[in-house]
């Protein structure tokens, strides 16, 4: 009897030991994976005039985007260490492995026939319009235009009239000196107009969209006969994507990827955010375009309440510059014209095979509905991070109320991520994809939204379940949508006029073949350039 009693005591002790150990492990996990409060994020009161990037402001309300843990991470969290161990598994290694770049490398050196900037015929003033990435592309195009028309480029003026009311100047967002010095062999760039020309009459011109060299050499350059200053009222999409001289195309890439760097304070903050994300292990940057302006503009209401759908409809009807008012949200979604919802993103990532402890950086503005729509994704992937979680309020304070600077931070973290996934093909998504291609075809997974919504609808209808079958379908669909090298797509067959140019893949989405080539031809290109400069 006594032996039986001691045996029972021993069993109880073991059970208590296991229980205490389990509680301790749960406590450790809680330190690194904290779940946010469930209050709804406050939505912006005004509408944007652009659809690239919604306003990003620090909220005083507690929500999933609020900083919940100290930003300083002296060592990798427990979840990250587990992910690192798990990544040794073959399937996970394959998930994170970038696509083969097939020996493609940047080749942006000018040809032997390229000369230093010719004598300037006058000054080109530029008003860069749109959000950050729209302005970036426009500025790079205006560098090329200045070269074509023999102009001295005055540092461009950034858009201050859009919804965000961002007062940032060029030097607040970009490294002004780097821009001027990097382009000295291509275009003369000055910070301001000479004083004697400050009050001179200017030729204000809306350059024709998607125009080639002939248009600028003939119609625009003719303005020099009467004016010393030409002002470009807009900068976006003023230069053709294709059929331009090779040296002009390479100049666009040098401007975009070498000259137009972010201001030092932005670069430093961006690097810090990247380092803090990397402390969790390899990470995904998710451009989650489930934002108020995009949903209202596109008419997408899936997973929204009737009240939210009505609010978005009213916004669209009351926004005079949005031409399309009546939109069938079901048809819009079935054609793949809607950004994925947070819930759909969770299904997509799970289907691809990413484990629940995958670190994810959310590159976005305010998510429409806040926690009410983020809860499903957060339950699947608790390690959802963003600027506000990775940095302290004091660290982010210099960037608050400057939407372009906040967007630049997201841009840096996205470009440097192990995997970039955009839920919608907007200006940010296209710019990051192109930059990652230029840097060696880093892995970018582009969701096939049209196929995905059909699969997700089957789950909602009960005709398909999550599991191996769904996962295989998702993996097979996206096997060739991961950023591997390919030539830029031309216009859609049968399109004409403006629609033809609009249907082309944008130059900055894919700089191949103009600025990327195989190692052998790249070596020859650069060798010729070096000899030319030595002469």
């Amino acid at each position: 009897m006594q032996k039986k009693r001691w045996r029972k005591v021993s069993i109880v002790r073991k059970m208590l030991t296991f229980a205490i150990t389990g509680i301790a492990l749960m406590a450790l996990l809680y330190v690194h994976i904290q779940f946010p409060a469930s209050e709804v994020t406050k939505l912006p009161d005004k509408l944007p005039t652009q659809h690239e990037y919604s306003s990003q402001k620090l909220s005083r309300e507690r929500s999933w985007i609020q900083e919940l843990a100290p930003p300083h991470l002296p060592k990798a969290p427990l979840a990250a260490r587990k992910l690192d161990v798990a990544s040794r598994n073959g399937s996970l290694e394959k998930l994170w492995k970038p696509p083969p770049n097939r020996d493609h490398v940047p080749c942006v050196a000018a040809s032997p026939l390229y000369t230093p900037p010719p004598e300037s015929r006058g000054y080109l003033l530029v008003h860069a319009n749109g959000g950050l990435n729209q302005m970036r592309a426009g500025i790079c195009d205006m560098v090329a235009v200045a070269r074509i028309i023999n102009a001295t480029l005055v540092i461009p003026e950034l858009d201050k009239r859009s919804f965000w009311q961002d007062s940032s100047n060029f030097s607040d967002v970009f490294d002004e000196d780097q821009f001027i010095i990097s382009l000295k062999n291509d275009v003369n760039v000055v910070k301001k107009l000479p004083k004697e020309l400050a009050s001179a009459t200017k030729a204000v011109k809306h350059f024709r969209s998607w125009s080639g060299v002939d248009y600028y050499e003939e119609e625009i350059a003719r303005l020099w006969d009467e004016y010393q200053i030409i002002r470009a009222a807009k900068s976006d999409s003023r230069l053709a994507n294709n059929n331009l001289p090779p040296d002009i195309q390479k100049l666009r890439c040098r401007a975009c990827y070498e000259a137009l760097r972010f201001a030092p304070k932005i670069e430093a903050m961006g690097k810090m955010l990247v380092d803090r994300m990397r402390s969790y292990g390899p990470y995904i940057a998710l451009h989650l375009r489930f934002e108020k302006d995009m949903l209202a503009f596109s008419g997408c209401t899936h997973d929204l309440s009737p009240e939210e759908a009505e609010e978005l409809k009213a916004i669209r009807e009351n926004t005079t510059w949005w031409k399309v008012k009546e939109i069938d949200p079901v048809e819009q979604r079935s054609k793949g014209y809607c950004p994925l919802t947070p819930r759909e993103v969770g299904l997509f990532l799970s289907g691809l095979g990413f484990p629940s402890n995958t670190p994810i950086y959310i590159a976005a503005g305010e998510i429409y509905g806040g926690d009410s729509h983020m809860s499903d994704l957060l339950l699947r992937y608790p390690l959802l991070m963003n600027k506000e979680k990775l940095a302290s309020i004091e660290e982010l304070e210099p960037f608050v109320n400057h939407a372009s600077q906040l967007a630049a931070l997201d841009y840096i973290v996205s470009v440097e991520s192990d995997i970039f996934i955009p839920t919608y093909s907007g200006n940010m998504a296209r710019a990051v994809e192109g930059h990652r291609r230029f840097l060696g075809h880093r892995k970018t997974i582009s969701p096939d939204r049209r196929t995905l919504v059909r699969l997700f609808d089957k789950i909602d209808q009960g005709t398909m379940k999550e599991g191996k079958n769904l996962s295989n379908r998702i993996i097979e669909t996206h096997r060739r949508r991961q950023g591997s090298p390919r030539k830029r797509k031309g216009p859609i067959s049968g399109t004409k006029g403006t629609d033809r140019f609009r249907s082309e893949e944008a130059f900055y989405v894919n700089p191949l073949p103009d600025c990327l080539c195989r190692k052998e031809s790249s070596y020859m290109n650069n060798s010729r350039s070096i000899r030319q400069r030595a002469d």
Side-chain angles (χ1 to χ4, degrees):
M1 291 294 290
Q2 190 171 0
K3 288 183 178 179
K4 289 183 179 180
R5 188 178 297 112
W6 279 109
R7 191 176 296 122
K8 289 181 179 180
V9 170
S10 177
I11 292 171
V12 171
R13 284 178 177 175
K14 288 181 180 179
M15 291 176 66
L16 286 172
T17 301
F18 286 134
I20 292 170
T21 302
I23 293 170
L25 285 174
M26 290 293 291
L28 283 172
L29 286 173
Y30 183 78
V31 170
H32 299 292
I33 307 176
Q34 300 193 39
F35 291 87
S38 58
E39 296 162 20
V40 178
T41 302
K42 185 179 180 180
L43 299 174
D45 297 324
K46 299 180 181 178
L47 281 174
T49 58
Q50 304 294 337
H51 320 303
E52 176 192 344
Y53 216 92
S54 63
S55 177
Q56 302 187 40
K57 296 182 179 179
L58 291 176
S59 173
R60 294 182 180 178
E61 300 178 9
R62 290 180 60 83
S63 70
W64 80 273
I65 67 169
Q66 187 178 11
E67 180 192 4
L68 297 175
H72 305 293
L73 306 170
K75 60 181 180 179
L78 180 61
R81 295 198 294 272
K82 285 186 176 181
L83 181 60
D84 183 58
V85 173
S87 66
R88 296 169 191 166
N89 179 279
S91 60
L92 273 181
E93 285 183 354
K94 189 175 180 180
L95 269 176
W96 293 100
K97 185 179 180 181
N101 65 13
R102 299 170 194 161
D103 293 329
H104 281 89
V105 293
C107 51
V108 297
S111 72
L113 299 178
Y114 194 77
T115 62
E119 183 179 354
S120 175
R121 299 187 64 185
Y123 292 88
L124 175 62
L125 299 179
V126 174
H127 173 74
N129 61 297
L132 173 70
N133 295 290
Q134 193 172 341
M135 289 193 291
R136 287 180 77 253
I139 290 168
C140 296
D141 279 359
M142 288 299 112
V143 169
V145 169
R147 172 78 189 195
I148 294 169
I149 65 175
N150 297 345
T152 294
L153 178 66
V154 179
I155 287 292
E157 174 190 348
L158 302 189
D159 194 340
K160 297 180 175 65
R161 296 176 294 182
S162 62
F163 160 71
W164 307 291
Q165 300 295 308
D166 190 342
S167 61
S168 298
N169 294 315
F170 187 95
S171 60
D172 296 320
V173 181
F174 303 108
D175 189 330
E176 195 171 68
D177 292 333
Q178 166 71 17
F179 185 71
I180 295 172
I181 294 171
S182 293
L183 295 171
K184 66 179 181 180
N185 293 322
D186 304 295
V187 175
N188 292 316
V189 183
V190 296
K191 296 183 179 182
K192 295 180 180 180
L193 276 175
K195 291 182 179 180
E196 61 271 19
L197 292 178
S199 58
T201 304
K202 305 172 183 64
V204 180
K205 185 78 173 176
H206 281 76
F207 296 164
R208 192 176 65 198
S209 298
W210 297 294
S211 296
V213 170
D214 291 347
Y215 167 79
Y216 286 104
E217 287 183 336
E218 296 170 9
E219 185 170 335
I220 300 302
R222 191 182 300 131
L223 295 171
W224 294 133
D225 295 338
E226 298 181 36
Y227 301 94
Q228 290 179 279
I229 304 169
I230 298 173
R231 179 178 177 83
K234 288 188 175 182
S235 64
D236 63 324
S237 303
R238 305 298 127 177
L239 200 58
N241 293 303
N242 304 305
N243 303 317
L244 294 178
D247 274 329
I248 293 298
Q249 296 288 60
K250 292 180 185 299
L251 173 57
R252 295 169 85 178
C253 286
R254 291 198 298 276
C256 189
Y257 304 123
E258 295 178 2
L260 199 61
R261 293 181 186 171
F262 292 118
K265 69 171 185 177
I266 295 176
E267 290 282 352
M269 186 65 183
K271 182 181 183 302
M272 186 183 73
L273 294 175
V274 170
D275 290 343
R276 290 178 180 176
M277 273 307 299
R278 290 217 181 283
S279 71
Y280 289 88
Y283 71 92
I284 294 172
L286 177 68
H287 184 45
L288 190 59
R289 201 63 172 92
F290 199 75
E291 298 158 322
K292 190 175 185 179
D293 65 312
M294 173 51 66
L295 297 176
F297 174 74
S298 62
C300 299
T301 60
H302 186 71
D303 276 353
L304 300 183
S305 67
E307 293 77 16
E308 289 172 328
E310 282 300 316
E311 179 189 22
L312 296 177
K313 182 179 179 181
I315 290 171
R316 187 168 62 255
E317 290 175 348
N318 294 327
T319 307
T320 56
W321 52 88
W322 289 352
K323 296 180 181 179
V324 181
K325 303 298 182 182
E326 293 297 325
I327 300 176
D328 183 341
V330 176
E331 181 182 5
Q332 190 83 338
R333 181 170 174 270
S334 68
K335 291 181 177 179
Y337 296 159
C338 291
L340 296 179
T341 69
R343 173 178 172 272
E344 290 171 339
V345 170
L347 289 168
F348 176 55
L349 294 177
S350 296
L352 288 173
F354 288 101
S356 61
N357 58 0
T358 301
I360 300 174
Y361 180 87
I362 303 295
E366 292 185 34
I367 302 304
Y368 187 52
D371 292 342
S372 64
H373 294 303
M374 288 295 291
S375 57
D376 188 85
L377 178 59
L378 187 62
L379 284 172
R380 286 177 182 267
Y381 294 95
L383 281 175
L384 292 186
M385 299 291 166
N386 60 4
K387 298 180 295 295
E388 293 80 3
K389 281 189 176 183
L390 291 172
S392 67
I393 293 175
E394 291 76 18
E395 288 170 328
L396 284 178
E397 196 277 332
F399 308 97
V400 176
N401 297 326
H402 296 289
S404 293
Q405 297 180 45
L406 290 170
L409 295 176
D410 279 347
Y411 183 92
I412 292 171
V413 181
S414 297
V415 168
E416 295 299 323
S417 64
D418 297 275
I419 298 175
F420 176 63
I421 301 178
T423 63
Y424 190 81
S425 184
N427 289 320
M428 165 80 166
R430 292 193 290 265
V432 171
E433 179 184 351
H435 202 153
R436 290 172 66 84
R437 286 182 178 277
F438 184 80
L439 293 175
H441 290 90
R442 297 173 177 176
K443 193 165 190 173
T444 298
I445 303 177
S446 301
D448 183 342
R449 296 187 298 275
R450 189 170 181 176
T451 298
L452 288 174
V453 297
R454 289 201 295 267
L455 294 175
F456 298 154
D457 284 346
K458 289 182 179 179
I459 292 176
D460 293 338
Q461 294 160 7
T463 57
M464 178 181 278
K465 294 182 179 180
E466 285 192 67
K468 189 172 182 181
N469 183 31
L470 174 65
S471 182
N472 288 340
R473 294 280 297 274
I474 291 176
I475 290 171
E476 185 58 35
T477 299
H478 294 84
R479 197 174 299 279
R480 297 187 178 182
R481 300 176 66 91
Q482 301 191 19
S484 58
R486 61 169 176 77
K487 289 186 177 180
R488 189 168 57 257
K489 297 175 183 178
I492 295 176
S493 178
T495 54
K496 297 180 180 179
T498 302
D499 288 338
R500 179 177 176 81
F501 294 116
R502 192 183 298 275
S503 71
E504 294 178 333
E505 186 173 26
F507 179 82
Y508 299 105
V509 176
N510 183 7
L512 194 157
D514 310 274
C515 304
L516 292 167
C517 48
R518 296 197 181 258
K519 286 182 180 179
E520 296 80 7
S521 57
S522 170
Y523 174 79
M524 294 173 62
N525 184 310
N526 284 286
S527 295
R528 287 196 299 267
S529 174
I530 292 170
R531 287 198 300 272
Q532 174 71 16
R533 291 183 180 182
D535 294 341

